[in-house]
Every structure is written in structure tokens, then in C-alpha cells.
Amino acid sequence: MTADPRPRAAHRAVPLPHPAEPVAVFVQDLPGGALTAARPAGPGRWAAGGIEVAITADGGAAPVSIDSSDTVSRVAVRWQHALPDAALILGDAWERGYGDLQWRHRQSERLLPWYWLAHTPHDGVTTGFGVDVAAGAFCSWSVDESGFTLWLDARSGGGPTTLAGRTLDAATVRRFGGTDGSGPDQDTAGSPWRAANLAVATMASPLTRARSAVGPVVGANNWYYAYGTDFDEAAVLTDARTVVELADGHPVRPFSVIDAGWSPGGVAPGGPWDAGLPGVFDDMAATAARITEIGARPGLWTRPLLERGAEPVHTALGPGGPGEWALDPSAPDVLAGIEEDFARYREWGYELVKHDFSTYDTFGRFGPAMGASLTDPSRRLADPTRTSAEVLVAFYRRIREAAGDMVLIGCNTVGHLAAGLEDVHRTGDDTSGHDWERTRRMGVNTLAFRMPQHGRFFTADADCVPSTPHTPWERNRVFLDLIARSGTALFCSIDPATRTDAVDADLRAALRLALDGGESGGIEPLDWLGTTTPRRWRTADGDLEVDWTSPWGVEPGAC
């Protein structure tokens, strides 16, 4: 075959269209129904079947609102734009990352929650689209050969939403890398890391930046050596003494967090949350006072949307397990009960509360299983006049108000909706005190790929660094060092049996650096375009090369 002698034209990046200039809009009134093409109904307006969508230009942004005389389930907004075939595409996650965050070649059916970025390696151009935090709908994107689509999920649980004559402010759309001043970085050729940081900053708000300035969040958490069993107040106080000793007189006091297992329900329990486990934690206020006396700041874990009992006391979405009930976050009685719980934690003297499992308890699914459908069609919220996104934002706001000045960690929360309403966000699925591979896959991945959200949406938390007999300290200590340098939240699960002079020295150095706020300028994954667990990192001490793998490599299917 003879090579084509004609010179190839140099590729020129074609600017993305303005967010307020889609080529088509589609609507769906009932779940499972057909997507109907909406017709133009005036400047920036489209209508079909009683649903009207408005997309207006507001500088470089485009607010999207929805009106419906009956019900609405989804709206799809389509823009025409062909990305280069070689482009690498990055999206976010519904709630936590599960070791699956990565730059990937175009995959048309790939679900891209909240925002997407496209990077073309040969010219260094990075562009993309996204939506502001606290949207009124669950927003995701798909990018294909000829364009990209914003999918606005406006359902209430698994059913349609009845807007009852009000206008839904569904989302504010942003373009990243615009060449007319509409994006955060007019010089689109450059570092994709810088582009990701600028994009996230554009979607943030003054409220999110204020909440993320809570200061260093550093301390002990007993989950990854205790796993909710066989611990008591004496063990909790040992954890507090350990972290205070390792902080070595630092002026910023570390936290000492009691994770699941303190309440009568046992491991990963449901409420009520009005007392500790009898005979083990008889006085939760006294335990908090003793932690404070030791010199640590007491913290507590809770699961606000699960209760135990033969029948639910509060409005429930359905069974959460044998003798358990998943509570409905749209119900006023549920929110009132949660407000009482958080007021009680404050009265007990806890300075930090980690609230967990609320996405799972609302939708019956963890992030990877939520997909584009989010939940089962039969899982309906008590209030069908508000979207799932609106209900969750109100739920997070109610917790924020009830918590007062307590530091809030959201775990299994929807970060794009909780931004500004929680101080710290667990950005990835659990690390492990039993299996190093899980820490490598989950912890390293989320540290690298969601670190741009740190300090803009919230304080990022890549989860605990374990020191246990079951995991190799030579691996964990590198993960520990990177988190400390990053300035993100650092919690350690320290089994007292693993303490040696060498381990203590590593922990002391990392905890003190983290309490200082990490390295000035943070760290950067240098090879994140080509891997899910970066090995090369820029640090203040120069580039760091890390070998995360075990002697046999990486076990396939681990985690």
C-alpha cells in the first residue's frame, strides 16, 4: 500500500459552543417514557407535552430552568461539537469514587456525573462543560462522536416530580477553557491539572470556599483496626492519647473519632442515637469530656437515615435490612428527628460528626450501581413535588444548621450537592486495614483525581491510613506521606499492636505536617493521564516516584 504523500493539515482546536447555544432539547414526563423532542418556543425556550425548558445566557454561564403543567422526569440538552478522536475524557462521581476515576478515550455511553473535561495530548488543549454545585437536578453528561449531552434527572426518587406550578432551577451550566472569556482559563493549552483546578473553582461558590476553610482536619479514627467490634471507652481513650502524643504539642489539636460500634445497634447500625452501647459506653457525654481532657477533639460517627425496630417510628422508604428501616429525607418528621440527634451530639460535647450512608439509604444503591437510573422506579419519596437533588440539598442544609459549629464530615454523600453544607467530604470508597490492594485502588485513586475539589467544594478526605498487622506499613507510610503533604484531611487508624519507634516516627512527622496544613502549593499527580493510581508526584521536595504494587504485582479483581 502506497503512503499518502499529501501533507496532513495541522489540528486546530475548535472552541466549544456557548452553554446557552444547544442544538436541541428533549423532555421525558414519566420514567421509562420516550424522550420527546421539544420545539422552539421563543428565544432560549423549548416546549413539549406540557414541559417547558428555558436556557438563558448569563455571561459565560447558562442557567437552565424547567416548568411543567403535569410531571417531569428528565430533560436532555444537546450541543453539537466533535472532539478529536485522540481526546482523553475525565468525569466525576455521583458520590464517592470507587477506584474508577480516570482519563479515558471517548466512550459514548460512559456516564460522566456533574462535569467532564477533554484533554488532547498532541496540542495540550483541555476544555469541558459542567454545572454549578447545589443543582436542582442530578446532572450527568455523555460525550460521543458528534457532540455531548447534559442529562438532567428531575425525578423524585424513582418517580416523576410534580412541580405544582413552580419553576425548577435545574442547573447552571459552565464551559471550561473558553476562548472568549467565558471559561476559567482562556489559555487552554497547558496543564490538564491546572485546567481541572480552574474548572472546579468555577463551579464552586463563596459558601463552599468558606466551609472548606475550616482548617486542618487531622486525627485518629478507630474503624480500620476495630471495624466496630471489641472496643470500649478504654480503647477510645487510648486512641486519643496516641494521637495527642504523636501530635507532639502541635498548637492545632487533633481529632479523635469514635466510628461505628458505639451505639446499641452495633456495627453500621441504625438509630435511635440517644445512648451508647450499655455496659460499654454508658455515658457518651462523659466519654467526650475525657477525650477533651486528654487534649484531643472528640468526634462521633452516625447514620442518620436508618433506624431499628419491628416497625418504623419515622417515615420510611422501605426496609433497610432485617429489623431496619431506611428513612425518607423528604419527610418533615425525619428531618426533625435528625435535628434532635445533632443537637444531642453537640450537648454531649462532640466537636465533629461524621454522617454516613445517606445516599445508599435514600436510593438503595451505592454510586456505581446508581448509574443513569439512580434508584428503583418503586422507590418514591414522600414529597413528590421536589426532585431528589432538591431533597438532598435540604437534608444536608438541615444537618448543617443543626450541627452549629461542629465540624461535619459527609461520607456516602453527594459532594456536588453537599458542597458548602459539609466541611469535609469523603471523596472515595473505604480504604482497608485488612487488604492493601483496597487502599491502593480506592485511596490513591481518589486522592489524585478529586484533589482539585479540595479547598473549593470542601476539605477532601481520601479516607484513613491504617496501621494494622494485616497491611504493609512500607506501602501505607507512602500513602500517609502524600496525604500529609496534600493538606487534605488525614485520619489514621492505629492498632496499638503496630506501634514501634519507626512507625511512630513516620506517624509523628506526617501528623505534624498535616496539622501545619500540608505543603505550600500541595502536590500534583504527574502521570494521572495514563493510570488510575499515579506513581509520579510533584512535591515541595521534588518529584516523587512511588511503587504501589505488591511483589506479585496487582491481584486482578481485588477489591
Side-chain angles (χ1 to χ4, degrees):
M1 180 177 179
T2 303
D4 188 344
R6 294 172 296 178
R8 294 181 180 271
H11 168 75
R12 287 193 173 189
V14 178
L16 291 174
H18 191 280
E21 297 175 353
V23 296
V25 173
F26 302 85
V27 301
Q28 181 189 60
D29 58 352
L30 296 173
L35 281 167
T36 302
R39 66 186 184 281
R45 304 190 76 86
W46 290 261
I51 299 172
E52 186 168 305
V53 179
I55 306 174
T56 56
D58 182 9
V64 181
S65 61
I66 302 171
D67 289 277
S68 176
S69 59
D70 192 3
T71 61
V72 61
S73 293
R74 290 192 304 165
V75 169
V77 184
R78 176 71 175 175
W79 289 266
Q80 204 77 16
H81 181 84
L83 292 170
D85 289 340
L88 298 173
I89 297 171
L90 175 68
D92 196 36
W94 280 137
E95 36 107 359
R96 296 173 295 184
Y98 288 80
D100 50 0
L101 299 166
Q102 67 180 127
W103 292 93
R104 192 189 305 175
H105 285 101
R106 184 177 57 231
Q107 182 181 359
S108 300
E109 66 275 14
R110 181 183 175 193
L111 178 76
L112 302 164
W114 306 116
Y115 60 87
W116 61 271
L117 293 169
H119 178 72
T120 311
H122 70 268
D123 59 13
V125 170
T126 304
T127 56
F129 264 58
V131 300
D132 284 0
V133 296
F138 269 78
C139 304
S140 62
W141 302 84
S142 57
V143 179
D144 54 55
E145 289 79 3
S146 58
F148 53 94
T149 304
L150 169 62
W151 299 90
L152 297 157
D153 191 318
R155 287 175 293 174
S156 177
T161 297
T162 303
L163 292 178
R166 71 181 179 90
T167 296
L168 171 65
D169 294 324
T172 296
V173 182
R174 303 275 180 181
R175 176 176 64 180
F176 314 129
T179 56
D180 61 354
S182 64
D185 183 12
Q186 295 183 48
D187 180 12
T188 57
S191 163
W193 180 254
R194 180 169 181 263
N197 280 266
L198 288 166
V200 169
T202 303
M203 293 180 286
S205 71
L207 174 62
T208 68
R209 287 187 286 273
R211 292 301 332 169
S212 66
V214 67
V217 180
V218 180
N221 179 300
N222 68 342
W223 179 252
Y224 292 108
Y225 80 83
Y227 281 100
T229 62
D230 300 324
F231 75 97
D232 56 14
E233 185 187 68
V236 164
L237 298 182
T238 295
D239 289 339
R241 292 188 190 97
T242 296
V243 74
V244 168
E245 176 190 340
L246 294 171
D248 197 21
H250 197 285
V252 178
R253 292 166 55 225
F255 291 95
S256 188
V257 179
I258 309 170
D259 213 289
W262 63 268
S263 66
V267 181
W273 303 99
D274 54 1
L277 182 62
V280 181
F281 292 98
D282 289 321
D283 189 335
M284 293 302 294
T287 301
R290 291 176 184 127
I291 293 172
T292 302
E293 289 169 5
I294 289 168
R297 302 175 68 185
L300 199 64
W301 177 95
T302 188
R303 185 173 178 174
L305 290 180
L306 192 74
E307 72 177 27
R308 294 172 292 113
E311 296 293 334
V313 174
H314 298 91
T315 305
L317 288 165
E324 296 176 341
W325 301 93
L327 301 182
D328 189 328
S330 75
D333 67 308
V334 171
L335 297 180
I338 290 170
E339 186 172 1
E340 292 173 2
D341 289 336
F342 277 79
R344 184 180 307 111
Y345 305 147
R346 291 176 63 192
E347 183 180 341
W348 281 346
Y350 289 90
E351 297 185 42
L352 175 151
V353 174
K354 172 184 172 186
H355 63 93
D356 203 351
F357 280 97
S358 57
T359 304
Y360 179 81
D361 290 333
T362 298
F363 295 108
R365 300 175 182 178
F366 288 116
M370 288 168 65
S373 61
L374 300 182
T375 189
D376 188 273
S378 64
R379 202 172 183 92
R380 305 292 181 91
L381 297 176
D383 182 357
T385 68
R386 292 184 292 158
T387 69
S388 298
E390 291 179 301
V391 165
L392 286 183
V393 170
F395 166 70
Y396 301 142
R397 182 172 291 111
R398 189 70 169 266
I399 290 178
R400 176 74 270 164
E401 292 168 351
D405 59 359
M406 289 193 299
V407 173
L408 287 178
I409 300 179
C411 184
N412 189 229
T413 53
V414 180
H416 219 79
L417 299 179
L421 299 172
E422 59 187 16
D423 302 290
V424 183
H425 179 65
R426 259 284 303 281
T427 58
D429 193 19
D430 291 8
T431 55
S432 176
H434 292 310
D435 181 4
W436 158 250
E437 284 299 329
R438 187 176 183 94
T439 300
R440 180 197 67 81
R441 179 182 172 187
M442 304 297 183
V444 177
N445 177 258
T446 194
L447 177 65
F449 284 85
R450 298 189 89 181
M451 203 166 19
Q453 299 173 4
H454 173 65
R456 298 182 175 94
F457 290 174
F458 32 61
T459 292
D461 176 12
D463 204 14
C464 299
V465 178
S467 178
T468 70
H470 313 291
T471 54
W473 183 244
E474 65 271 18
R475 301 276 189 268
N476 284 322
R477 68 181 296 274
V478 181
F479 183 46
L480 169 75
D481 179 59
L482 282 174
I483 293 179
R485 290 173 181 268
S486 73
T488 61
L490 171 60
F491 287 96
C492 298
S493 286
I494 306 168
D495 187 326
T498 64
R499 291 190 65 186
T500 65
D501 289 346
V503 170
D504 277 5
D506 291 336
L507 287 165
R508 183 174 290 108
L511 287 167
R512 287 188 61 83
L513 176 57
L515 289 166
D516 285 340
E519 292 182 345
S520 177
I523 60 175
E524 175 184 345
L526 298 175
D527 57 341
W528 72 319
L529 289 176
T531 179
T532 56
T533 51
R535 296 165 57 103
R536 295 191 299 111
W537 298 77
R538 180 195 57 76
T539 75
D541 295 330
D543 292 355
L544 179 67
E545 183 86 25
V546 179
D547 184 1
W548 299 115
T549 59
S550 300
W552 51 84
V554 175
E555 186 176 349
C559 307

